[in-house]
Amino acid sequence: MNPSNLTNSSNPIYSFSPTGEKFQLPSPEDYAKEFERLKELVNSHRSLGREIVVVMGLGFVGAVMAAVVADAQDGNGNPAKFVIGMQRPSTRSFWKIPLMNLGLSPISTEDPEVAFIIGRCVNQKKTLTATFTYDALKFADVVIVDVQCDYLKESLGNVKDGRAEMEALEESFEIIAQNISPQTLVLIETTVAPGTTEQIAYPIMKKVFKRRGVTSDPLLAHSFERVMPGKNYVASIRDFWRVCSGVNEGATRRVVKFLNEVINTEKYPLTVLDRPIESETAKIVENSFRATILAFLDEWSLFAERNGVDLIKVISAIKARPTHSNIMFPGPGIGGYCLPKDGGLGLWAYHHIHGFEDDIFKITPLAIDINDTRALHVAQLTRDALRNMGRPLASAEVLVLGASYREDIGDTRYSGSELIVRRLTEMGAELRVHDPYVLHWWEFEKQDEYPATSHGLKRFFRGQEKLKDLRVDQDLKRALYGADALILAVRHKPYLTLNPDEVVRDAGGPIAVIDCFGILDDAKIKRYFELGCEVKGLGRGHVKRIKDQVRLNTEGVE
Ligand SMILES: NC(=O)c1ccc[n+]([C@@H]2O[C@H](COP(=O)([O-])OP(=O)(O)OC[C@H]3O[C@@H](n4cnc5c(N)ncnc54)[C@H](O)[C@@H]3O)[C@@H](O)[C@H]2O)c1
């Protein structure tokens, strides 16, 4: 099946990688050639007794999962699988295919194993290739679905006003059923609205099978990913506990066998649940739990700011108690692809898959709404810090350190920093951004398309047009020069060791410093005050005490 946006020599269409490399989308003639290339590869790997695994969607999860499977060995230490990573050739994502086929990782991360394992499987073991054609599905013994399932919010801070975007996923199930052999195991890893595997995927595939004259049931299973992009990216897929379930006994048997072959289940045993809806619910509940414990600290963060309390120290005191070791400081909101949306998929499923009318969800949506808007408070702190220095925000140059949603990765999806930039822009400030892992902040550069057409956060703020020109600076010194305010938004490694004297020197004078993530210790806060700066921080009410002390000392000296 070919995509609608076909390219040809008179009308070439390109896909650009984040580093600016340009790749032409495939033309109609390329499909037949690609099919032959895959056929040849599949035949040679089959002759070596390897299973053929197609991973659909080479995103943050699929690209690395594909490499983990391609790296798996049989009992004799030989490669057990041949993996075809299948990615639709959209202008936004096609570049991932040629890049992976060069053995290069499409993901920028702190974990060196990501690039290493992709390079090894593509170039040395030759157990991994990437393609744009759905024809790859025809060869599959196993299909792993790693495409996205978005939750589209219609308002800021009200997750109930939104819906699961099922169309792409539903289309994928249809395409899979049209192409696979009836014995193929289809493993859904996508985080879905609970009920999707049995009540959406199964009937779609069954109908297509019927049309094809296939009488057997689709072998469908669900096993969600717990990947943590960051320092342990690969290990969080391969060396981590998994939950799975199949729609019937055959599917359950197959998914258990497959996961035992590719994941380190000896050390991290599998949990097999009775029905896919239980595996789907487990994913949604575990992420809603995390969103909730983070959101819960938002009110204590404000309490701390208004009552001279350092929430960072309070949290580390509580953490010493083993029963409370997972208490976490929320930073400027909870971004990433999963936590802001997963609870929404649950609420949506309750009404739109299972047909209930009543409103049972209180805590889950409230947590998401709090997390989705927490970053707005950073704009207030910036405004107040600048005001204390006698500088109006509306004519200030504000530098945000960190565009990613968490430390040491280059993933900007729903990051708190985006909201900070949008609100401060609306309030009239001029924004600059630095991030060592992010080359392009597409949420701004292509803000009418990212993260989805007409569903970007731009809608909720005024005066956003100029943010199309916002570029991420890789040179911290240059970014600092002339800044009036510095927002420490992400705990990226280079930011943890910033020296106040150097910051003030590079900025060209005292600045306002806003610490969103407990990055500054008391000695640094004190030094910033001594240098004539103003400091504020989320949950850091004690800075006022340090400021008063510095003033007292200075006055004492005079
Ligand atoms: N990113 C994470 O940290 C994480 C963690 C755990 C679970 N998950 C879940 O894993 C799933 C995938 O997430 P992701 O972060 O990899 O998303 P992503 O957007 O990075 O990747 C999805 C990829 O699928 C491709 N795609 C979409 N439709 C396709 C189709 N019909 N055929 C082939 N390719 C198609 C897209 O172009 C994209 O490259 C989601 O359900 C997500 O919630 C993500």
Side-chain angles (χ1 to χ4, degrees):
M1 179 161 174
N2 296 355
S4 54
N5 56 342
L6 284 176
T7 186
N8 56 54
S9 50
S10 58
N11 177 31
I13 304 173
Y14 296 99
S15 168
F16 291 87
S17 76
T19 47
E21 287 149 295
K22 178 174 158 184
F23 300 98
Q24 189 175 328
L25 262 56
S27 64
E29 307 83 67
D30 293 328
Y31 281 79
K33 271 189 264 166
E34 181 66 355
F35 181 68
E36 287 307 316
R37 181 182 81 89
L38 294 178
K39 199 159 106 185
E40 221 169 278
L41 284 170
V42 164
N43 287 341
S44 85
H45 284 278
R46 272 212 201 290
S47 69
L48 295 166
R50 292 176 189 160
E51 248 192 346
I52 310 302
V53 180
V54 173
V55 177
M56 231 174 144
L58 295 175
F60 285 91
V61 174
V64 186
M65 179 63 184
V68 165
V69 177
D71 205 38
Q73 300 181 348
D74 62 20
N76 301 320
N78 296 317
K81 317 280 176 199
F82 174 61
V83 179
I84 307 173
M86 194 268 136
Q87 167 63 52
R88 65 181 171 185
S90 59
T91 46
R92 192 196 280 198
S93 291
F94 173 72
W95 58 271
K96 298 173 191 173
I97 299 167
L99 219 66
M100 272 190 82
N101 282 336
L102 290 170
L104 300 173
S105 166
I107 294 154
S108 158
T109 162
E110 264 287 283
D111 183 358
E113 209 187 343
V114 171
F116 180 73
I117 191 174
I118 291 175
R120 179 170 65 199
C121 291
V122 172
N123 294 325
Q124 288 160 35
K125 295 174 113 179
K126 302 202 185 294
T127 50
L128 176 60
T129 192
T131 190
F132 48 82
T133 174
Y134 287 121
D135 282 342
L137 293 163
K138 296 189 165 70
F139 302 117
D141 298 304
V142 179
V143 175
I144 303 179
V145 181
D146 278 329
V147 308
Q148 71 278 26
C149 175
D150 287 326
Y151 183 83
L152 303 178
K153 295 173 188 165
E154 299 301 341
S155 16
L156 182 64
N158 180 12
V159 68
K160 288 184 177 174
D161 186 14
R163 66 178 174 90
E165 193 188 40
M166 299 297 292
E167 294 77 8
L169 203 59
E170 285 171 335
E171 194 198 20
S172 304
F173 296 139
E174 179 112 17
I175 293 165
I176 291 168
Q178 281 161 0
N179 285 284
I180 58 169
S181 114
Q183 289 81 39
T184 303
L185 168 70
V186 178
L187 167 55
I188 301 172
E189 287 198 328
T190 300
T191 305
V192 289
T196 297
T197 304
E198 288 155 285
Q199 286 175 243
I200 293 178
Y202 182 83
I204 290 178
M205 293 184 63
K206 185 79 187 159
K207 268 182 218 149
V208 178
F209 270 21
K210 217 168 163 186
R211 276 208 303 271
R212 286 175 55 193
V214 176
T215 52
S216 58
D217 279 345
L219 290 169
L220 254 173
H222 184 263
S223 175
F224 57 90
E225 278 288 356
R226 285 169 163 156
V227 55
M228 284 169 284
K231 277 181 269 191
N232 302 312
Y233 209 135
V234 173
S236 71
I237 290 185
R238 185 190 52 210
D239 308 311
F240 214 66
W241 296 270
R242 279 280 193 139
V243 177
C244 69
S245 184
V247 290
N248 50 36
E249 238 182 87
T252 304
R253 227 183 4 257
R254 285 283 301 278
V255 73
V256 168
K257 178 174 178 291
F258 178 72
L259 291 173
N260 278 330
E261 286 166 351
V262 298
I263 304 286
N264 186 0
T265 52
E266 230 166 77
K267 212 158 163 202
Y268 302 91
L270 270 182
T271 302
V272 185
L273 294 176
D274 295 339
R275 292 178 55 197
I277 190 174
E278 289 170 339
S279 165
E280 295 163 337
T281 305
K283 175 66 182 179
I284 300 295
V285 172
E286 80 180 34
N287 274 353
S288 300
F289 168 70
R290 208 168 157 84
T292 303
I293 55 174
L294 285 153
F296 144 78
L297 278 180
D298 180 62
E299 59 204 33
W300 288 107
S301 179
L302 289 172
F303 175 90
E305 283 169 36
R306 292 168 188 176
N307 292 287
V309 171
D310 183 5
L311 190 64
I312 297 293
K313 294 195 198 90
V314 169
I315 286 177
S316 71
I318 296 170
K319 258 179 179 312
R321 186 181 159 171
T323 51
H324 289 51
S325 61
N326 67 354
I327 189 167
M328 273 173 298
F329 185 79
I334 314 306
Y337 185 45
C338 300
L339 265 57
K341 74 166 167 61
D342 287 357
L345 293 173
L347 316 186
W348 183 86
Y350 184 67
H351 297 298
H352 298 285
I353 296 184
H354 306 289
F356 290 99
E357 291 294 329
D358 58 343
D359 191 5
I360 56 169
F361 289 104
K362 294 182 178 58
I363 294 170
T364 301
L366 183 61
I368 293 177
D369 294 345
I370 288 170
N371 294 337
D372 279 358
T373 49
R374 177 165 159 84
L376 298 176
H377 182 51
V378 178
Q380 296 169 355
L381 293 180
T382 312
R383 173 200 65 199
D384 296 348
L386 282 165
R387 187 186 284 150
N388 287 355
M389 297 180 80
R391 300 181 196 176
L393 177 76
S395 60
E397 294 275 346
V398 179
L399 169 62
V400 177
L401 293 192
S404 316
Y405 80 91
R406 58 166 289 181
E407 67 272 19
D408 302 330
I409 57 157
D411 185 350
T412 56
R413 290 185 287 181
Y414 306 105
S415 74
S417 303
E418 181 183 348
L419 221 63
I420 296 173
V421 168
R422 292 204 179 280
R423 175 62 106 205
L424 284 172
T425 299
E426 180 174 74
M427 290 164 78
E430 290 296 327
L431 270 294
R432 311 167 179 189
V433 185
H434 173 275
D435 193 303
Y437 304 100
V438 178
L439 297 177
H440 291 276
W441 202 349
W442 298 122
E443 281 81 349
F444 292 112
E445 278 188 45
K446 296 192 176 176
Q447 57 180 350
D448 296 323
E449 298 160 45
Y450 271 74
T453 312
S454 78
H455 269 88
L457 290 176
K458 178 187 167 198
R459 288 174 294 157
F460 305 122
F461 300 89
R462 67 183 187 90
Q464 303 289 295
E465 215 43 49
K466 65 178 181 184
L467 288 171
K468 275 187 182 147
D469 300 326
L470 186 72
R471 293 294 176 269
V472 185
D473 205 330
Q474 303 303 125
D475 183 336
L476 185 51
K477 237 179 174 170
R478 185 176 54 206
L480 260 171
Y481 184 70
D484 295 292
L486 171 71
I487 300 179
L488 296 158
V490 185
R491 291 184 63 87
H492 284 328
K493 221 188 269 163
Y495 303 154
L496 305 181
T497 50
L498 283 178
N499 174 304
D501 288 84
E502 287 167 16
V503 167
V504 171
R505 187 198 61 207
D506 293 342
I511 55 171
V513 180
I514 293 83
D515 181 3
C516 303
F517 239 126
I519 289 172
L520 301 177
D521 60 21
D522 289 358
K524 282 187 180 159
I525 295 172
K526 179 165 175 260
R527 187 61 192 147
Y528 276 119
F529 279 124
E530 286 168 353
L531 292 164
C533 298
E534 182 65 29
V535 181
K536 290 200 175 284
L538 287 176
R540 311 213 68 190
H542 74 309
V543 292
K544 174 76 169 55
R545 232 175 17 249
I546 301 177
K547 179 176 170 179
D548 292 345
Q549 194 58 50
V550 170
R551 292 262 161 87
L552 206 67
N553 292 347
T554 321
E555 280 159 20
V557 168
E558 279 170 357

